[in-house]
Amino acid sequence: MDKRYEVYCLMDAHFYDAPARAHGGDTAFAQTRRPAPETWQRSELDDWVVLRPDGAQLPLQGWKIHVSACLDNAARILTDVWDYCVPRRLPFKFLPGKDLLLLANAKYAHRGSSGKFVTIYPVDEEQLERVLTELGTVLAGRPGPYILSDLRWGEGPLYVRYGAFGERYCVSPAGEVELAIEDGDGRLVPDVRGPTFQVPDWVELPGFLAPHLAARGGARVTDLPYRLQGALHFSNSGGLYAGEDLRTGERVVLKEARPYAGLTADGRDAVARLRRERQTLERLRGLGCVPAVHDHFVMGEHHFLVEEFVEGRELNHLFVERYPLTRLRADEAVLAGYTSWAVGVYDRVERAVAEIHERGVVIGDLQPSNIIVRPDGGVVLIDFEGAADVSEEREQSLGALGFTAPRGRRGFAVDDYALACLKLFLFSPLTSLFSIDAGKAGQLAREAARTFPLPDGFFDAAVRTITGTDAAAGAGADVEPRIRPDAEGWAEARASLAEGILAEATPQRDDRLFPGDIAQFAAPGGGLGVAYGAAGVLYALDVTGAGRHPDHEEWLIRRALRPLPGTRLGFYDGLHGVAYVLDHLGHRREALKILDQCAGERWKELGPDLQGGLSGIGLNLLHFASATGDPALHDAAGDVVGTVASRLGAADSVPEVSGGPHLYAGLMRGSAGPALLLLRWYEHTGDPAFLDLAATALRQDLRRCVVRGEGDMEVDEGWRTMPYLADGSVGIGLILDGYLAHREDDGFRTASAAIRRAAEGGFYIEPGLFHGLAGMILHLSRAHPAGTAAQRDPVVAEHIRRLARYAVVHRGRLVFPGEELLRLSLDLGTGSAGVLLALGAALHDSPVHLPFLEGEGR
């Protein structure tokens, strides 16, 4: 589970949205509603309210001051900061309300930025010292979470860090666009905000900060009777460490809690929850289904709980290894064996929960990652931070999405809901869908009951618990979507998907037109691009015959011609992709203007990838050069090809792309993207050297792949293997097939067949194009003439039917969930537009493809 998605679920019950849109709500501070002081300018930037005096001249970078605060003292702290800064004409920004302050300090908030409530911008080091001294006296003794990225001034709540004041951007060594500062040689480098305080090499720490840096030492773990053996997990609450008790030699787990940090929805911090966990485990002492408590202590303001180290594996990991539907072929014996194991595990968890309930304890966070299965098959439940006495009748404040009870469930009903979800999860791990549509429980239960040898009525009680109704699993009261793999089914699905997309458009907003993935909010202009923004949706609607939409095209044109600072440049994540789509839609003049804007940016420093880097830009320049005959565009495309080629290893033995970290394989971020560029350049020039280079790039990605037990090839990420289109083997397979159309290669032919097998699985966790079932449909359909794939390939037909397991009927129309299945999405990479494109590749009577992939495999 990607914890970043949680905060984007808070604004809307159906779609991901930025928490910053909570400005002005019931929890807003008085200053948020107050107009700017006379001769000051007020603006909003991401999550912040920014106040700047007229005529203020600030450096582009320097030492900035951060103020931390707790929920109960934030209003007073903001008042004191306002009263200090305004008369002195000190620019500052602040979070506008308690809701965003809670999110900034939540358990899974970013550890490098957590704790920051107010930022003050001194003009120089002299002013820095004066503000720290004077405001430090005003705020002395006010508690607040420790800001890990900063140096604390005294006992807080003031902190300092050297970083960017102005918005300048650069490309990181990994090829990502990041906020930048200037180094000692005048080069822009990433402004790194990590979970530790660091001074850039070219910056000298002011002398008045030296005593505060020296004071950071304090108590050390070496002073304790424990030896840390490694970190198991980090969150904003603190770390979880494996260790050894030096007195007894026993293995232990040390759980850390940071004061005032790691907040949950009820405002409790990590220390309060750790205290609750210790009290709960002591109350449950003697039960074999919970870990024993060994010790607790405080070190350097951080609290620690020492627990028994439980030998075994998380149920979540065991499930991934054992779940039979991810296999290509699961016969009756395999299904029966898995069913016996899963039912046995569930029964033992149910008994453990009953034992804990007998002692009056509500667990509060029951989920597969908090269940350890011992080597002998016994189960131990861990992580009791959210536990409560049943008499408290508390709603759930901490829980994994997909296992978190709906509002209104209290006491034991919270655990009963999680148990019901666990029962379904073990046979259909799509319980995150229930946060969008609880009625999916009945549909998934019926499908699982048809697939696994389970007794009649096995899921009935679980479905009633999840839906809160008396409907049994087989009653069919919920609406069950169906998608048929034929011409009539295609017409119905296309109409419903298109209507569902268009009905949710938000032309009144500037940040995004169609709701999509949280990547829309990761950078300025994120709602414009091909992967997650308006361009990709409009492209999918057009190429599948779902129509042109001039008003929405005009929305995209206006914003792309005046992009926000920091808008990305790449094909799938930025302006190059927008230019391509606008040209595709007949707006060449505007598209060429956007290309001119991009030409003035520092795009040559981008990474070699297709998603946001040089390969996508090179392909786009080649497209426009061919379309316009402009020799300057042709030369620019050639320069990009030369740069990408120079970054490839000169021989097949080179395992990585040079020029920086290259952590990915696959179409979007791996070497398959450069291979596509080189393949197209070979087709353009006829020079076989570029076909050779394409082969080198493909071999680099194939070396990151592994052939699994059933002969299917997937990308090996170390802890899992991935078949998907964006970062998995299927994306590599698309380019392999294009290469094989020009030159035979036995190794590539074998790999292509193994990758096809990876696309034929019976279960994928998500429906989307980039990381789900739709990508498999697109890949398999490309081997057949337009509109015939479902007729010719029974696997494609079955995949199309399987899309219904994810589909939600929203306002009478088909809509698909995005990444993590927690909210609906309409974009190309993760949502309905991508599903529409994949269905079009299989069923539309004209060819449908992603840009630059036309003709592959046909």
Side-chain angles (χ1 to χ4, degrees), residues 582-659:
L582 289 177
D583 185 58
H584 171 84
L585 295 172
H587 304 286
R588 178 159 294 171
R589 182 171 63 88
E590 293 83 357
L592 290 172
K593 286 183 179 180
I594 295 169
L595 281 192
D596 286 342
Q597 292 174 171
C598 293
E601 301 292 335
R602 300 163 63 103
W603 56 269
K604 292 184 179 180
E605 300 174 7
L606 291 168
D609 60 277
L610 176 63
Q611 178 166 292
L614 293 176
S615 292
I617 290 173
L619 286 161
N620 199 42
L621 291 171
L622 177 59
H623 160 77
F624 277 98
S626 300
T628 64
D630 187 336
L633 290 173
H634 184 275
D635 291 345
D639 288 345
V640 174
V641 172
T643 301
V644 171
S646 69
R647 296 189 188 183
L648 291 175
D652 288 354
S653 60
V654 178
E656 298 290 336
V657 173
S658 60

Side-chain angles (χ1 to χ4, degrees), residues 247-562:
R247 297 163 298 187
T248 65
E250 289 183 89
R251 296 187 71 187
V252 293
V253 170
L254 292 89
K255 194 169 188 177
E256 176 188 24
R258 299 174 55 222
Y260 315 117
L263 304 182
T264 45
D266 58 1
R268 291 174 182 256
D269 71 355
V271 172
R273 295 199 309 278
L274 194 72
R275 185 181 305 115
R276 173 59 64 100
E277 178 162 9
R278 173 170 60 87
Q279 294 168 346
T280 299
L281 290 177
E282 289 174 345
R283 179 173 176 176
L284 299 175
R285 189 184 301 275
L287 293 182
C289 59
V290 300
V293 173
H294 288 281
D295 193 7
H296 61 93
F297 59 88
V298 179
M299 182 183 70
E301 301 181 16
H302 291 206
H303 293 239
F304 288 83
L305 179 63
V306 184
E307 300 178 7
E308 167 194 3
F309 184 95
V310 179
E311 297 286 351
R313 303 275 306 282
E314 286 184 13
L315 176 56
N316 204 42
H317 293 162
L318 285 174
F319 169 81
V320 170
E321 292 177 3
R322 288 175 171 263
Y323 190 60
L325 297 191
T326 58
R327 302 182 183 184
L328 295 179
R329 304 288 182 268
D331 58 25
E332 291 184 4
V334 169
L335 294 175
Y338 174 81
T339 301
S340 177
W341 173 82
V343 170
V345 169
Y346 176 81
D347 287 345
R348 289 188 287 277
V349 172
E350 189 176 44
R351 287 196 296 271
V353 171
E355 290 180 4
I356 292 168
H357 284 182
E358 285 175 3
R359 298 200 181 183
V361 172
V362 178
I363 300 165
D365 189 14
L366 181 66
Q367 45 132 326
S369 293
N370 288 342
I371 300 168
I372 303 295
V373 181
R374 293 186 184 274
D376 63 4
V379 298
V380 177
L381 310 188
I382 61 172
D383 201 346
F384 285 81
E385 290 183 11
D389 188 283
V390 66
S391 64
E392 297 178 45
E393 281 292 301
R394 285 173 48 197
E395 288 192 350
Q396 192 169 7
S397 62
L398 181 69
L401 295 170
F403 294 86
T404 302
R407 288 190 174 184
R409 310 276 178 112
R410 298 174 183 272
F412 290 150
V414 169
D415 293 344
D416 293 341
Y417 181 88
L419 266 177
C421 290
L422 179 65
K423 195 171 199 177
L424 262 171
F425 173 88
L426 288 168
F427 296 93
S428 184
L430 304 176
T431 56
S432 295
L433 287 170
F434 303 160
S435 64
I436 308 171
D437 180 5
K440 296 295 288 186
Q443 178 186 349
L444 297 179
R446 289 188 289 274
E447 182 179 347
R450 291 192 296 265
T451 304
F452 294 92
L454 292 161
D456 291 343
F458 181 77
F459 293 113
D460 287 1
V463 171
R464 288 194 295 269
T465 298
I466 292 165
T467 60
T469 69
D470 293 329
D478 49 284
V479 177
E480 185 168 332
R482 296 185 185 279
I483 302 175
R484 300 195 314 279
D486 53 35
E488 185 178 349
W490 162 234
E492 292 176 358
R494 178 176 60 185
S496 187
L497 284 168
E499 290 170 6
I501 289 169
L502 296 170
E504 302 300 333
T506 57
Q508 72 277 8
R509 289 178 59 158
D510 288 325
D511 58 340
R512 59 108 159 120
L513 179 58
F514 300 104
D517 190 68
I518 67 171
Q520 293 183 329
F521 311 108
L528 305 182
V530 172
Y532 308 111
V537 175
L538 295 175
Y539 175 82
L541 289 169
D542 181 60
V543 298
T544 58
R548 291 275 305 280
H549 305 281
D551 290 347
H552 296 330
E553 292 169 21
E554 183 60 30
W555 183 97
L556 181 60
I557 290 169
R558 288 199 306 270
R559 284 152 184 83
L561 287 175
R562 296 175 180 81

Side-chain angles (χ1 to χ4, degrees), residues 662-677:
H662 194 76
L663 307 178
Y664 304 99
L667 180 63
M668 290 296 163
R669 295 183 289 178
S671 295
L676 176 60
L677 172 64

Side-chain angles (χ1 to χ4, degrees), residues 793-824:
D793 188 340
V795 176
V796 173
E798 188 58 31
H799 278 350
I800 290 171
R801 295 186 188 96
R802 287 181 181 130
L803 281 170
R805 64 167 56 130
Y806 313 92
V808 171
V809 178
H810 179 63
R811 300 181 184 176
R813 304 174 180 98
L814 285 181
V815 186
F816 280 85
E819 296 276 323
E820 304 296 335
L821 307 179
L822 300 169
R823 292 293 185 269
L824 302 172

Side-chain angles (χ1 to χ4, degrees), residues 751-775:
S752 175
I755 289 170
R756 176 186 167 84
R757 290 177 67 81
E760 294 177 340
F763 186 90
Y764 302 94
I765 198 68
E766 292 175 356
L769 184 67
F770 281 9
H771 299 108
L773 178 58

